[in-house]
Amino acid sequence: MRAADVGDPIMGRLVMQYGAIRAVEAIRARTLPPEFVAQEIKRAQEAHQNRPPDLTARVNAWHARLAAANPAADLENGQGSGARLVIPGSPEWPTQLDQLGAGRPLGLWLHGTADLRFSCLKSVAVVGARAATSYGTHIAAEFGVGLGESGWTVVSGGAHGVDGAAHRGALAADAPTVVVLACGVDICYPASHEVLFAAVRDRGVVVSECPPGVHPTRARFLIRNRLIAALSRGTVVVEAALRSGALNTAAHALSLNRHLAAVPGPVTSGMSAGCHKLLRDRKAVCVTSPEEMIDLVGVIGDDLASQSRAPAVPRDKLNEPTRKVLDAIPTRGGAGPASIAVAAGLSLDATLSALGGLAAAGYIERTTNGWRLRKQLASYPKAPDSAALEPPPSPESDASDDPPFPDDDFPHGPEQHGWH
Amino acid sequence: MRAADVGDPIMGRLVMQYGAIRAVEAIRARTLPPEFVAQEIKRAQEAHQNRPPDLTARVNAWHARLAAANPAADLENGQGSGARLVIPGSPEWPTQLDQLGAGRPLGLWLHGTADLRFSCLKSVAVVGARAATSYGTHIAAEFGVGLGESGWTVVSGGAHGVDGAAHRGALAADAPTVVVLACGVDICYPASHEVLFAAVRDRGVVVSECPPGVHPTRARFLIRNRLIAALSRGTVVVEAALRSGALNTAAHALSLNRHLAAVPGPVTSGMSAGCHKLLRDRKAVCVTSPEEMIDLVGVIGDDLASQSRAPAVPRDKLNEPTRKVLDAIPTRGGAGPASIAVAAGLSLDATLSALGGLAAAGYIERTTNGWRLRKQLASYPKAPDSAALEPPPSPESDASDDPPFPDDDFPHGPEQHGWH
């Protein structure tokens, strides 16, 4: 069997129903089991406007290919090159591939030390553009390292750009990684990845459904992509142009109901346009780190990532009246307790006690003109986006989730703020 | 009234129920209408664990502020500075603010030539970090120009960074823009935006609910944000750290059921972390261009943006058997029609006619070793992410939406590919 046949669902169904041997015999005899033909025509009629598939042409095509196929030689070459063949039912067979139904491969050629089934129990497909930018390869390597260090296997296509960077990142974390090729496992494509593939065989495994000696073609790259998606719990697209093979892998992940994630990038980069399209269409979840990807595909309570949180600032620890007083104290000049009480909307007593506390804590200082904020408060870190909320001169200038009006009347919980 | 009062929903409800004059009288007399008090206590008990609000303290606070307030002087200063006051019912009042309910401002001070109500009929709030990166200000300016040129008004806070860049972009497109200040319209904050605000007054309008002479405070910035969200059909966050005032504006947009969008950026930039959080939590839609923002907030059939599409390549125009033949032709050496027919899975006749057409179209050439792809096909543009799918030597190397197996059996429509 050649990959192109495996990709043909009619052939796939024939094999699943009658077994590879009987399927081959049927094709050799240029016949198909009548009940299968009837079923196929019914299926085709349901699927598309009563247009039955030309089964005779298919049989002839398969027959021509069968004539060229030589399974015995394939096995010999494979074993000679150090590869092994696994088929459904083998202990090393990754059963998640069965979800491909008629598209399930008849077998997989493996070359490497790692056990494919075990390696893929916790695996993520990291895919993206071959013509990736330095941003894309940087992020892919970060994901490779992060996933590897957390015990997750990186599955990818071994291509230039994102694929290669992800594999290298995983190897750098001394984690197994899985390369799924569109050619025979004995063929090094791209040729410049000879060293990389050797390292993968050493620590992980190189996979292909093509027998040894088969060279890559457009069809095989597209057929290969379904395996990358089907082997992994989820797929993350690191960089992809609007027209990209990575989006084909993403489509497979969706059709298999696997998790799909995309890494955002600059909107000025065409290489992120495909990722942004997936996000805009809400097909993919936005992930910005390996932890977030593990959070997505991981088991709840087991692999949850910590929420990205805003930095806390000392002000958060103040109680509300004290905060009100602090907000009411001018940054320039100074103000007396009475006017501060008016501005804060508090009684004079409450204001005076708050002033004492704030002075003791070093937030404010007393001058001849009254109270004012202390400048250059070393103990007073600015939040990243301090500026958006406060006049610059104030050291008390972090944005804050203080509601614009009293908490009890805020239209929605803090969750709505987007930083919880 | 000072902004802080306006932000107090109890005050807001008092004014909405009894009118500003009677509300002021009640506060002067340090009393509240009994039925109002009863209703407030009931409301508060429902809202939070039977904890009634301390209305007496509120009345005292309001009374203290009333003593300091001088509406006559405010009006005089305002008119002196060239500003005008609009209140609910005025022809220029933007009725979308009524959706704020008790939080609706009692009035707005306007300074500028544009009509606020008309300008905001088709308006978008462009908000983001004051400490924006050059990426953030670049994108903000692009959105300002793009929205302005399409007849949409940019609403923002007139701050440094994203706000200022968005306003400048709109003015560059000779479009009106609306600056909503957290201080009196006669106060130039930030001071360095004096020229910008002058240009806005000239072509658009500067807005504030604070009377002239009022300086900005933390509370007023947060109260102000609700107006930016409420004036616009939708809000787009261009850049925001995890702790950012822009996220406060975003929360208001959500609570008002207005459209919320976020612009992605490099995941390596903390200034985009807030945007990515909104996308990850699926609170915001991913937008990468002003057109996409207009697509979101616009009227269907009126403002729809063109879908971002993958570039078409000549190959798309070939029929399926011809494509199969083209894919089966080797890039190096050459192949005879018979082996090409086998590889393509077609009859010899079909293959021969396809070969003729491909040769005539200049895709392939006949050599002494048979047919092969023509190298350096000038007429054959590469798609952006060509590499991901095809061996490089092939000029026929764009990724493609050909399904891995025949269309009629592809698990899902082309839509799933993410580039339609």
Side-chain angles (χ1 to χ4, degrees):
Chain A
M1 287 307 117
R2 286 292 188 261
D5 299 323
V6 182
D8 182 330
I10 293 185
M11 183 63 176
R13 283 195 290 272
L14 189 62
V15 170
M16 288 180 88
Q17 234 169 308
Y18 301 91
I21 305 302
R22 280 194 53 199
V24 168
E25 281 166 354
I27 295 158
R28 282 238 171 85
R30 289 179 182 277
T31 68
L32 285 175
E35 64 274 28
F36 177 81
V37 174
Q39 184 205 61
E40 272 311 305
I41 289 173
K42 188 159 158 299
R43 186 192 291 265
Q45 282 171 337
E46 285 161 9
H48 5 79
Q49 321 83 31
N50 301 327
R51 182 164 50 79
D54 181 356
L55 293 173
T56 327
R58 294 262 174 94
V59 174
N60 293 337
W62 297 330
H63 184 272
R65 285 174 179 165
L66 266 182
N70 183 349
D74 288 344
L75 276 168
E76 200 178 308
N77 299 343
Q79 266 130 24
S81 73
R84 60 192 184 274
L85 176 67
V86 298
I87 59 171
S90 314
E92 197 174 350
W93 182 258
T95 48
Q96 59 268 41
L97 292 184
D98 301 349
Q99 206 189 327
L100 288 167
R104 182 181 76 170
L106 300 177
L108 288 175
W109 290 90
L110 311 182
H111 194 177
T113 59
D115 178 289
L116 180 62
R117 182 178 192 166
F118 180 78
S119 306
C120 291
L121 285 179
K122 282 174 70 173
S123 63
V124 168
V126 181
V127 300
R130 184 182 267 189
T133 67
S134 58
Y135 171 75
T137 51
H138 168 75
I139 301 299
E142 292 266 307
F143 272 68
V145 171
L147 290 164
E149 284 178 341
S150 311
W152 286 78
T153 301
V154 170
V155 179
S156 194
H160 286 299
V162 167
D163 292 13
H167 290 304
R168 288 197 179 89
L171 292 170
D174 193 28
T177 183
V178 176
V179 172
V180 185
L181 291 177
C183 53
V185 292
D186 59 335
I187 302 220
C188 182
Y189 177 81
S192 60
H193 278 182
E194 194 167 353
V195 176
L196 172 62
F197 291 172
V200 170
R201 283 191 295 268
D202 202 44
R203 184 76 181 81
V205 61
V206 177
V207 181
S208 175
E209 67 183 314
C210 307
V214 171
H215 284 272
T217 67
R218 158 190 299 281
R220 294 199 178 107
F221 278 99
L222 288 161
I223 293 167
R224 181 275 311 266
N225 290 343
R226 85 190 194 286
L227 296 182
I228 292 176
L231 279 172
S232 329
R233 276 209 217 164
T235 296
V236 56
V237 183
V238 173
E239 259 193 339
L242 286 172
R243 187 171 185 132
S244 160
L247 296 181
N248 170 259
T249 312
H252 285 300
L254 284 174
S255 69
L256 293 166
N257 293 313
R258 306 290 174 91
H259 295 285
L260 178 62
V263 178
V267 298
T268 47
S269 160
M271 273 298 149
S272 288
C275 297
H276 295 152
K277 188 85 170 68
L278 288 174
L279 292 174
R280 180 165 164 72
D281 297 344
R282 307 218 165 193
K283 287 176 180 164
V285 177
C286 175
V287 300
T288 64
S289 67
E291 293 70 30
E292 287 182 352
M293 188 63 198
I294 293 168
D295 190 26
L296 183 67
V297 297
V299 180
I300 288 174
D302 178 7
D303 309 296
L304 283 191
S306 63
Q307 285 275 311
S308 48
R309 287 201 174 285
V313 298
R315 186 179 183 288
D316 298 342
K317 301 193 195 65
L318 304 177
N319 61 29
E320 195 182 329
T322 313
R323 269 209 302 274
K324 282 183 173 172
V325 170
L326 185 57
D327 295 340
I329 292 170
T331 58
R332 294 188 206 71
S339 65
I340 293 173
V342 169
L346 294 168
S347 72
L348 188 57
D349 296 354
T351 308
L352 284 169
S353 69
L355 285 171
L358 287 167
Y363 285 92
I364 59 174
E365 60 193 354
R366 180 169 228 148
T367 69
T368 49
N369 325 336
W371 293 98
R372 73 163 182 216
L373 290 167
R374 270 183 64 188
K375 303 265 186 287
Q376 278 86 34
L377 222 39
S379 73
Y380 206 79
K382 273 192 167 209
D385 182 14
S386 61
L389 276 188
E390 200 71 13
S394 160
E396 214 288 78
S397 64
D398 57 278
S400 124
D401 53 5
D402 289 350
F405 17 85
D407 295 270
D408 40 22
D409 294 285
F410 200 46
H412 41 66
E415 167 56 28
Q416 284 276 39
H417 283 266
W419 53 56
H420 285 274
Chain B
M1 291 301 121
R2 287 290 189 260
D5 299 324
V6 179
D8 181 332
I10 292 184
M11 183 64 178
R13 283 194 290 271
L14 188 62
V15 170
M16 289 180 86
Q17 232 169 308
Y18 300 92
I21 306 302
R22 281 193 55 197
V24 168
E25 282 167 352
I27 296 158
R28 284 242 169 85
R30 289 178 182 277
T31 67
L32 285 176
E35 64 274 30
F36 177 82
V37 174
Q39 184 203 62
E40 273 309 308
I41 288 172
K42 187 159 159 299
R43 187 193 292 267
Q45 283 171 334
E46 284 161 8
H48 4 77
Q49 319 82 33
N50 303 326
R51 179 165 51 79
D54 181 354
L55 291 174
T56 327
R58 294 263 173 94
V59 174
N60 293 336
W62 295 330
H63 185 272
R65 287 174 178 165
L66 264 182
N70 185 347
D74 288 344
L75 278 168
E76 200 176 310
N77 299 343
Q79 266 126 27
S81 73
R84 58 192 185 274
L85 177 67
V86 298
I87 59 171
S90 315
E92 199 175 347
W93 182 258
T95 48
Q96 60 265 43
L97 292 183
D98 301 350
Q99 204 188 328
L100 288 166
R104 181 182 76 173
L106 300 177
L108 288 175
W109 290 89
L110 311 182
H111 195 175
T113 58
D115 178 289
L116 180 63
R117 183 177 192 166
F118 180 78
S119 306
C120 292
L121 285 179
K122 283 174 71 173
S123 61
V124 168
V126 180
V127 300
R130 186 182 266 190
T133 66
S134 57
Y135 171 75
T137 50
H138 168 74
I139 301 300
E142 292 265 309
F143 272 68
V145 171
L147 291 165
E149 284 178 343
S150 312
W152 286 78
T153 302
V154 170
V155 178
S156 194
H160 286 300
V162 168
D163 293 13
H167 290 304
R168 288 195 180 88
L171 291 170
D174 193 28
T177 182
V178 175
V179 172
V180 185
L181 291 176
C183 54
V185 291
D186 59 334
I187 301 219
C188 183
Y189 179 79
S192 60
H193 277 181
E194 193 166 354
V195 177
L196 172 63
F197 291 171
V200 172
R201 283 192 295 268
D202 202 43
R203 184 78 183 77
V205 61
V206 177
V207 181
S208 175
E209 67 183 312
C210 308
V214 171
H215 284 273
T217 67
R218 159 190 301 281
R220 292 195 181 111
F221 278 100
L222 289 160
I223 293 165
R224 182 274 312 265
N225 291 344
R226 86 190 193 287
L227 297 182
I228 294 175
L231 279 171
S232 328
R233 275 209 216 164
T235 296
V236 55
V237 183
V238 173
E239 261 194 338
L242 285 173
R243 185 171 186 132
S244 162
L247 296 181
N248 171 260
T249 311
H252 284 299
L254 284 175
S255 71
L256 293 165
N257 294 313
R258 306 292 173 92
H259 294 285
L260 179 61
V263 177
V267 298
T268 46
S269 160
M271 273 298 149
S272 289
C275 297
H276 295 151
K277 188 87 167 67
L278 289 173
L279 292 174
R280 181 164 162 73
D281 298 344
R282 308 219 165 190
K283 287 177 181 164
V285 176
C286 175
V287 300
T288 64
S289 68
E291 293 69 29
E292 287 182 353
M293 188 63 198
I294 293 169
D295 191 26
L296 183 66
V297 296
V299 179
I300 288 173
D302 177 10
D303 309 295
L304 283 190
S306 63
Q307 285 276 309
S308 48
R309 287 201 173 283
V313 297
R315 186 180 183 287
D316 299 339
K317 301 190 195 68
L318 303 179
N319 62 30
E320 195 181 331
T322 311
R323 268 209 302 273
K324 282 182 175 174
V325 171
L326 184 58
D327 294 341
I329 293 170
T331 57
R332 292 188 207 73
S339 65
I340 293 173
V342 169
L346 293 170
S347 71
L348 189 56
D349 297 351
T351 307
L352 285 168
S353 70
L355 285 170
L358 286 167
Y363 285 93
I364 60 174
E365 59 193 357
R366 181 168 226 148
T367 67
T368 51
N369 326 338
W371 293 98
R372 73 164 184 214
L373 290 168
R374 273 181 63 189
K375 302 267 186 288
Q376 278 86 35
L377 224 38
S379 74
Y380 207 80
K382 276 192 166 210
D385 183 14
S386 61
L389 277 187
E390 200 71 14
S394 161
E396 212 289 80
S397 65
D398 56 278
S400 127
D401 53 6
D402 289 349
F405 15 81
D407 298 276
D408 44 21
D409 293 284
F410 199 47
H412 42 66
E415 168 54 28
Q416 283 278 37
H417 283 264
W419 55 57
H420 285 275

